[in-house]
Amino acid sequence: MTLLRVLTVVFLLICVLIAVVILLQEGKQAGLGGAISGTASDSYWGKNKSRSAEGMLENITKIAIVLYFVIAIILNTGLVKY
């Protein structure tokens, strides 16, 4: 299997991962009331959000999107040949 095919398969898997992770995340509208009053950042949830499941999904989304763009650039510039 060539490197081009491997990168293409990884690229497609990352696309599916991004779609699934985004659909699993909560909407931001639920926390809008706390953001307006300024109390969301002072609460326990606001301080420990990165350790929660929602925080983990956000981190996975960020990493997957960076990988998506890096692989897309590699595939489109022609750096990898058959």
Side-chain angles (χ1 to χ4, degrees):
M1 206 170 192
T2 65
L3 183 58
L4 181 64
R5 289 182 191 221
V6 171
L7 281 178
T8 303
V9 170
V10 171
F11 185 71
L12 291 174
L13 291 174
I14 289 174
C15 291
V16 172
L17 176 71
I18 290 172
V20 169
V21 170
I22 288 175
L23 289 174
L24 287 174
Q25 291 181 9
E26 293 178 0
K28 297 294 180 189
Q29 295 171 347
L32 188 59
I36 292 173
S37 65
T39 59
S41 62
D42 295 335
S43 69
Y44 177 79
W45 176 255
K47 292 179 182 177
N48 294 309
K49 188 173 181 185
S50 64
R51 294 187 211 164
S52 67
E54 184 69 22
M56 183 183 68
L57 288 175
E58 287 180 13
N59 290 336
I60 291 172
T61 305
K62 291 174 190 175
I63 293 168
I65 289 175
V66 168
L67 288 174
Y68 172 85
F69 280 109
V70 168
I71 294 174
I73 290 168
I74 290 171
L75 290 174
N76 283 322
T77 56
L79 293 174
V80 179
K81 302 287 183 191
Y82 286 103

